[in-house]
């Protein structure tokens, strides 16, 4: 009796210590009370140490509780809702926008299943199909959903602290690099108490900003990309100067080529002018990459591929731009910006595409300070309750608008044409139409912009109504396509008028190509034998992550063929 009483007292004390505001909730709405009970039991068993598990059998009751929780500032991490209640998700999400929304659906693989529409329109983040026999699989799925929620929370541990002036555009660049390397970090204004304290502790003069302070006390003042890359712990110089294959560019095509080349035993060097991931690394959610039905963050996908290439034995070098490529006997030599070079038996060019520029000088001057080329993943959270604009009418612009709409007050898509349907997939057009805070202005161009250190307004020319109008704008994302990174290549690597590299048999018909081999060009081979192109940089390639990955894997087979032929000669 005494021991039982003691246990009760301990439980009561533990319950009292677990203030609901400290522990985020997993909230279940299941109209079947038996199923609700089982779910609550399983979730408590699996996650009860870190989360409060709550549930209701009706949407009305659930909404009332969620309102009370919102009033009491009690966070919700996960809303797990059965399909009959899926309409309720919208209201619940308004109250708890940070919560991940999981639809619990019955086994029905027709296109009329409510989950198909909910996922397409972005009304749910994940789904689970029931009944399930495998508890382990459900536990794993829930852990994945929770880890998606956790990754969006402020980090508990900051590996890097950045102290910068409020309007310093370089802080935005630092934030981008930290995000691309998945480094937990915090940014502190130099005028804030925390910022002043950090500078004091580091003994740094506040006139020399931005300052980056590593967890172990290392201080870097106004770092450039190589400084930062070194502090993060990645290579900025190749540790070999000769290899079998040098890959230029660490986007999906280059990194996949590295995974395959290194795993097949080739001495492989990857040279990347910035950080890994390429364009794909800036994409908040890639929904069409096979194997990820709920989509995957481009940054995470690329980080994993980079890790995989490294574990297979590839030498990966960041913050090192390739500036020239030359023949040297049978070898190819890649020259780098720091004056060093890498000699290789074969070279894969996977340098992708540079965003096309707006060409408005006052906006170009604000790049990184409110004007962004492409959708910067790291900026999304910072857009909370802001009015933001996107220039562009392609799929990237459509995806970015939906992603930003989760945080921004309004997102306005500015399109030059008179319909989105010509340039954007219909599923995205439908999703945009049903997202109330995404607005579309057709036949509208950005002609100017201004701001004091950071963008605060843009000027729009509306060709439909023939008006010029200045509107407040917290950010402008420019997504109007791009130009390939091929300006550094020699003339005998032939490209089309836009700069995309020509490859394969078609080269033989090109008037500028002098092909002197006693074989035809291999499928991804450029007009310089032994130099291949993969991904967006190649003329005719499909500008997608999966196709870049496919070409990256394919090109390694061709590199083998070239190297084998070379040794035979
Ligand atoms: C915002 C956004 C969203 C997107 N969403 C999707 C999507 O949902 N689904 C989809 O399938 N596709 C999507 N795409 C397209 C997709 O990201 C690209 O097709 C893909 O990244 C191309 O891969 P790549 O390896 O060919 O080139 P990139 O990803 O462009 O990588 C090229 C790399 O080469 C480096 N480089 C360039 N020049 C040099 C040099 N001289 N020396 C060294 N390194 C150099 C660059 O820094 C870059 O890291 C999206 C693109 C963007 C921008």
């Amino acid at each position: 009796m005494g021991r039982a009483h003691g246990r009760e007292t301990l439980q009561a004390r533990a319950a009292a210590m677990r203030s609901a505001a400290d522990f985020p909730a997993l909230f279940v709405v299941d109209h079947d009370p038996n199923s609700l009970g089982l779910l609550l039991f399983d979730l408590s068993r699996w996650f009860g140490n870190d989360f409060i598990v709550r549930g209701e059998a009706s949407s009305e009751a659930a909404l009332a509780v969620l309102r009370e929780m919102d009033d009491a500032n009690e966070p919700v991490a996960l809303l797990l809702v059965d399909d009959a209640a899926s309409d309720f998700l919208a209201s619940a999400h308004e109250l708890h926008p940070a919560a991940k929304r999981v639809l619990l659906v019955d086994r029905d693989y027709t296109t009329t299943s409510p989950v198909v529409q909910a996922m397409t329109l972005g009304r749910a983040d994940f789904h689970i199909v029931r009944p399930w026999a495998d508890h382990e699989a459900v536990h794993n799925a829930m852990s994945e959903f929770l880890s998606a929620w956790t990754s969006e929370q402020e980090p508990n541990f900051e590996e890097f602290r950045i102290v910068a002036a409020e309007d310093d555009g370089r802080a935005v660049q630092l934030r981008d690099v930290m995000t691309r390397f998945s480094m937990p970090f915090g940014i502190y204004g130099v005028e804030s108490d925390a910022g002043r304290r950090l500078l004091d502790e580091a003994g740094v003069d506040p006139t020399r900003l931005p300052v980056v302070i590593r967890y172990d006390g290392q201080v870097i003042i106004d770092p450039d990309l190589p400084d930062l890359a070194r502090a993060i712990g990645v290579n900025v110089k190749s540790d070999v100067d000769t290899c079998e294959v040098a890959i230029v560019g660490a986007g999906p095509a280059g990194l996949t080529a590295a995974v395959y080349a290194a795993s097949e035993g080739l001495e492989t060097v990857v040279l990347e002018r910035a950080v890994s991931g390429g364009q794909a690394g800036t994409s908040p959610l890639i929904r069409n990459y096979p194997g990820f039905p709920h989509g995957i963050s481009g940054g995470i996908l690329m980080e994993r591929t980079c890790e995989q290439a490294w574990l297979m034995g590839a030498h990966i070098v960041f913050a090192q731009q390739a500036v020239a490529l030359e023949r040297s006997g049978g070898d190819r030599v890649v020259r780098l910006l720091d004056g060093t070079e890498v000699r290789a038996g074969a070279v894969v060019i996977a340098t992708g595409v540079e965003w096309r520029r707006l060409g408005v000088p006052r906006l170009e001057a604000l790049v990184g300070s409110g004007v962004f080329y492409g959708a910067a993943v790291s900026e999304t959270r910072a857009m909370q309750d802001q009015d933001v604009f996107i220039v562009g009418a392609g799929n990237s612009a459509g995806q970015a608008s939906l992603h930003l709409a989760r945080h921004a007050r309004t997102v306005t898509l500015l399109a030059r044409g008179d319909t989105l349907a010509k340039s954007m997939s219909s599923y995205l057009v439908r999703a945009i139409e049903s997202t109330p805070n995404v607005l579309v202005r057709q036949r509208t161009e950005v002609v100017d912009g201004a701001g004091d250190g950071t963008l605060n307004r843009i000027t729009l020319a509306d060709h439909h109504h023939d008006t010029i109008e200045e509107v407040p704008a917290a950010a402008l994302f420019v997504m109007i396509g791009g130009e390939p990174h091929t300006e550094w290549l020699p003339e005998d690597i032939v490209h089309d008028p836009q700069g995309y590299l020509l490859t394969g048999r078609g080269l033989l018909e090109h008037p500028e190509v002098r092909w002197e081999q006693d074989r035809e060009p291999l499928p991804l081979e450029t007009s310089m034998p032994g130099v291949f192109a993969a991904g967006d940089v190649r003329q005719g390639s499909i500008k997608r992550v999966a196709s870049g990955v496919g070409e990256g894997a394919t090109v390694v087979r061709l590199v083998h063929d070239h190297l084998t032929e070379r040794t035979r000669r």
Side-chain angles (χ1 to χ4, degrees), residues 249 252-253 272-273 278-280 288 322 351 355 399 536 543-545:
E272 165 57 51
R273 65 174 184 162
Q279 280 185 36
N288 59 353
T351 45
W355 285 105
Q399 283 167 353
D536 280 8
K543 312 287 186 263
R544 291 282 180 274
V545 177

Side-chain angles (χ1 to χ4, degrees), residues 201-331:
E201 282 166 11
V204 181
D205 171 1
T207 57
R208 297 163 66 210
L209 296 173
V211 171
V212 176
I213 304 165
R214 204 165 70 165
Y215 70 96
D216 58 358
Q218 187 191 334
V219 175
I220 323 157
I221 296 167
D222 193 11
D224 59 13
L225 186 56
D227 290 337
L228 217 52
R230 269 189 292 267
I232 286 170
V234 297
N235 282 342
V236 294
K237 280 204 185 313
S238 176
D239 43 5
V240 292
D241 49 21
T242 304
C243 61
E244 285 167 298
V245 56
I247 298 165
V248 188
L255 287 174
T256 307
V259 169
Y260 278 74
S263 69
E264 291 171 20
L266 296 177
E267 182 87 294
T268 304
V269 174
V270 180
L271 302 161
E272 165 57 51
R273 65 174 184 162
V275 298
S276 88
Q279 280 185 36
T282 70
S283 177
L285 189 69
I286 296 177
R287 279 204 58 208
N288 59 353
Y289 193 77
F292 295 92
H294 301 129
I296 180 161
S297 130
I300 292 176
L301 182 66
M302 290 298 98
E303 194 187 326
R304 288 182 189 172
T305 314
C306 187
E307 192 93 355
Q308 199 171 4
W310 168 61
L311 289 174
M312 292 290 182
H315 306 268
I316 302 175
V317 184
F318 294 114
Q320 253 321 334
Q321 185 172 347
V323 291
L325 173 60
E326 291 157 16
R327 301 175 196 236
S328 171
D331 286 344

Side-chain angles (χ1 to χ4, degrees), residues 441-484:
R441 290 191 61 164
Q442 273 141 359
R443 299 192 58 200
T444 302
E445 273 182 87
V446 187
V447 291
D448 204 357
D452 193 8
T454 180
L455 182 76
N456 58 35
R457 55 194 188 279
I458 55 175
T459 308
L460 302 178
D462 182 330
H463 300 300
H464 186 59
H465 300 102
D466 229 3
T467 54
I468 299 271
E469 181 191 0
E470 198 176 65
V471 291
L476 179 72
F477 294 87
V478 186
M479 311 186 78
I480 50 175
E483 279 148 29

Side-chain angles (χ1 to χ4, degrees), residues 10-164:
L10 278 177
Q11 276 176 5
R13 217 181 290 154
M17 281 164 66
R18 287 164 53 97
S19 148
D22 296 338
F23 285 82
L26 311 184
F27 200 100
V28 186
V29 184
D30 191 336
H31 290 71
D32 173 347
N34 286 338
S35 156
L36 175 66
L38 285 173
L39 265 170
L40 294 180
F41 176 75
D42 279 342
L43 288 173
S44 305
R45 204 158 48 93
W46 293 333
F47 305 111
N49 280 339
D50 301 311
F51 296 90
I52 287 178
V53 180
R54 306 183 67 166
E56 291 293 337
S58 85
S59 311
E60 297 73 35
L63 221 42
V65 176
L66 287 167
R67 262 191 214 106
E68 281 168 19
M69 292 173 73
D70 178 41
D71 290 342
N73 275 334
E74 291 171 15
V76 177
L78 213 69
L79 286 161
L80 183 63
V81 173
D82 69 353
D83 54 355
S86 59
D87 278 351
F88 141 91
L89 259 183
S91 323
H93 196 239
E94 261 175 42
L95 292 168
H96 296 279
K100 291 285 163 201
R101 297 154 299 169
V102 185
L103 266 188
L104 196 57
V105 291
D106 295 327
R107 199 168 293 278
D108 162 20
Y109 286 112
T110 64
T111 50
T112 51
S113 165
V115 72
V116 174
Q117 195 189 38
M119 291 297 300
T120 308
L121 299 184
R123 290 183 185 153
D125 301 299
F126 303 105
H127 83 293
I128 292 190
V129 178
R130 65 178 174 186
W132 53 76
D134 185 351
H135 281 255
E136 183 72 18
V138 177
H139 175 258
N140 289 347
M142 290 292 181
S143 306
E144 183 196 323
F145 308 157
L146 285 173
S147 104
W149 174 81
T150 309
S151 68
E152 289 175 9
Q153 307 312 300
E154 295 297 334
N156 290 331
F157 163 70
E158 288 170 349
E159 197 160 335
F160 288 90
R161 291 183 169 132
I162 299 167
V163 184

